[in-house]
Amino acid sequence: MLKLGEKQTLQIVKKVEFGVYLAEHAEAEERVLLPVAQVPAGKQIGDSLEVFLYRDSKDRMIATVKEPLLKMGEVARLRVADVNRYGAFLDWGLEKDLFLPFKQQTYRIKQGDTPLVSLYIDKSARLCATMNVYPCLSTDSPYQKEDKVCGCIYETSPEFGAFVAVDDKYSALIPKKEWYGDIKIGDMVTARVTAVKEDGKLDLSVREKSYLQIEKDAEKILDILNSFDGVLPFNDKASPEVIKRETAMSKNEFKRAVGHLLKAGKIEIKEKSIKRV
C-alpha cells in the first residue's frame, strides 16, 4: 500500500519518457510516478528506491527522492512562505508548499513566521499541516524532576493549563495552578520540571522553588510599588483575584513575598494598602 506523507522503499516497475513508475512489487496495481529529473543515474527496472510520497500541484500522488522537512507522525518548525484568504503555505523543502488551513491554526500566523506543525490527511485525501501537534509529541524525554527545559506553548485550556512542546518534541503541561503571568499560545518559555508522569509526559512550572522564588517575587512587588508611586492600593488581605490580576502571583506567594519585604524593613502594611519605606 502506498502511504502518503511517509518514506517508502519501492521498486521500479516501468520506465517512461517522463520518469519511472514505482510500486511495492512488480505485480502491484497501485503505482506512483517519480519524475525523470529525480531518477538516480543508472537505475533500472527491478531496482529499489527510497522515496517520499505527497501530492503535486494537480493533487496527483507523486514520489520524490528529496528529504522533506516534515513527515507523518513528526513535528517541525516550518517557515511561512505565503498567506492567502484560505490559510498559509509552508516551505517544507519540496516543490509544492504545504498548506496550513486557517481552521488548523491555533493563532493567526504571518509570512516569515515559523510555527510548530505536524501533518494530517484532510477529507480530500490531501496532505496538510496542523498546529494541533499534541498527538505527535513524544513522551520519552530524557528530563527528570527539577531539570530546566525550554518549550513552546501550543495550546491553552482554562481547565488544565498551558500545553508545551518541550524542545519542539516532548509533551508537557504547565498545570493551571502553575500558570501565572501573560502566557499565550506561541510563546517560548523556560520552565522547571515538577513531575514526570507515568505515561512520560512532563509537568512544568515557570516559577522557581518557593524559597528561591521569594526574592524574585519581592523584587517584583517593589517594582509594582514604584509604578504606583510607592503605595500599592491593596494589601495581603485583598482577594486572590485582585492579587493575581495585579501581580500574576497566587495569594500565598504574594503574602510570602510581602512578609519577606516587611521583615527586611522595606515596606509598611497599612489597613488597605502597602507603602514602600
Side-chain angles (χ1 to χ4, degrees):
M1 179 180 179
L2 300 182
K3 299 177 182 178
L4 198 63
E6 299 183 29
K7 292 189 75 172
Q8 289 181 265
T9 298
L10 301 176
Q11 184 180 355
I12 298 175
V13 296
K14 183 178 180 181
K15 296 185 73 172
V16 292
E17 182 179 348
F18 45 86
V20 298
Y21 281 97
L22 308 173
E24 288 188 294
H25 51 82
E27 291 76 29
E29 294 184 7
E30 194 175 20
R31 299 178 177 187
V32 63
L33 176 69
L34 176 66
V36 64
Q38 295 200 40
V39 179
K43 289 294 183 179
Q44 302 296 327
I45 292 176
D47 290 345
S48 294
L49 287 172
E50 186 178 45
V51 293
F52 178 78
L53 305 185
Y54 70 115
R55 293 195 181 277
D56 65 12
S57 57
K58 295 183 180 179
D59 280 337
R60 299 170 300 191
M61 186 181 288
I62 196 164
T64 179
V65 292
K66 292 184 178 180
E67 184 72 23
L69 299 178
L70 178 65
K71 296 186 286 293
M72 193 68 74
E74 298 177 347
V75 292
R77 287 192 176 278
L78 301 180
R79 184 182 64 84
V80 178
D82 194 18
V83 177
N84 66 15
R85 60 178 177 167
Y86 301 108
F89 293 87
L90 311 178
D91 178 4
W92 63 326
L94 302 181
E95 286 80 2
K96 180 187 176 185
D97 289 337
L98 179 64
F99 182 49
L100 171 60
F102 277 132
K103 65 181 180 180
Q104 295 295 329
Q105 298 178 22
T106 54
Y107 64 93
R108 282 292 178 260
I109 57 175
K110 61 185 184 300
Q111 188 173 2
D113 286 350
T114 54
L116 188 67
V117 296
S118 59
L119 286 177
Y120 76 100
I121 298 174
D122 71 5
K123 293 180 180 179
S124 300
R126 297 173 300 183
L127 275 177
C128 295
T130 176
M131 292 168 67
N132 298 302
V133 298
Y134 177 82
C136 294
L137 292 176
S138 173
T139 56
D140 60 350
S141 86
Y143 297 112
Q144 302 296 323
K145 187 175 180 180
E146 303 304 334
D147 284 347
K148 288 292 183 67
V149 297
C150 294
C152 175
I153 305 292
Y154 66 88
E155 185 179 348
T156 59
S157 163
E159 183 179 358
F160 297 108
F163 294 90
V164 184
V166 170
D167 298 340
D168 290 346
K169 184 177 181 180
Y170 303 113
S171 182
L173 171 71
I174 301 174
K176 182 179 178 181
K177 65 179 181 179
E178 297 289 347
W179 181 8
Y180 297 106
D182 185 24
I183 298 177
K184 59 185 182 298
I185 294 174
D187 282 353
M188 297 297 298
V189 296
T190 298
R192 175 173 57 89
V193 177
T194 58
V196 180
K197 300 292 191 179
E198 288 186 6
D199 60 5
K201 296 173 185 175
L202 306 175
D203 273 359
L204 309 178
S205 174
V206 293
R207 300 175 68 79
E208 297 281 5
K209 287 185 175 181
S210 58
Y211 72 91
L212 296 174
Q213 189 67 40
I214 287 176
E215 287 287 349
K216 290 185 178 181
D217 290 344
E219 287 299 320
K220 186 174 184 179
I221 290 172
L222 291 178
D223 289 341
I224 296 171
L225 276 164
N226 289 337
S227 70
F228 279 91
D229 293 326
V231 180
L232 198 62
F234 60 89
N235 59 24
D236 57 352
K237 294 181 181 178
S239 70
E241 292 75 21
V242 168
I243 291 171
K244 186 171 185 178
R245 185 185 69 233
E246 298 297 332
T247 68
M249 301 178 198
S250 70
K251 184 163 183 172
N252 285 338
E253 289 163 343
F254 181 73
K255 291 181 72 172
R256 283 197 295 265
V258 165
H260 182 75
L261 291 171
L262 185 66
K263 186 176 180 180
K266 295 182 178 181
I267 61 170
E268 292 178 353
I269 300 179
K270 303 296 185 178
E271 184 177 351
K272 293 184 178 181
S273 64
I274 295 175
K275 180 179 179 181
R276 182 163 189 171
V277 175

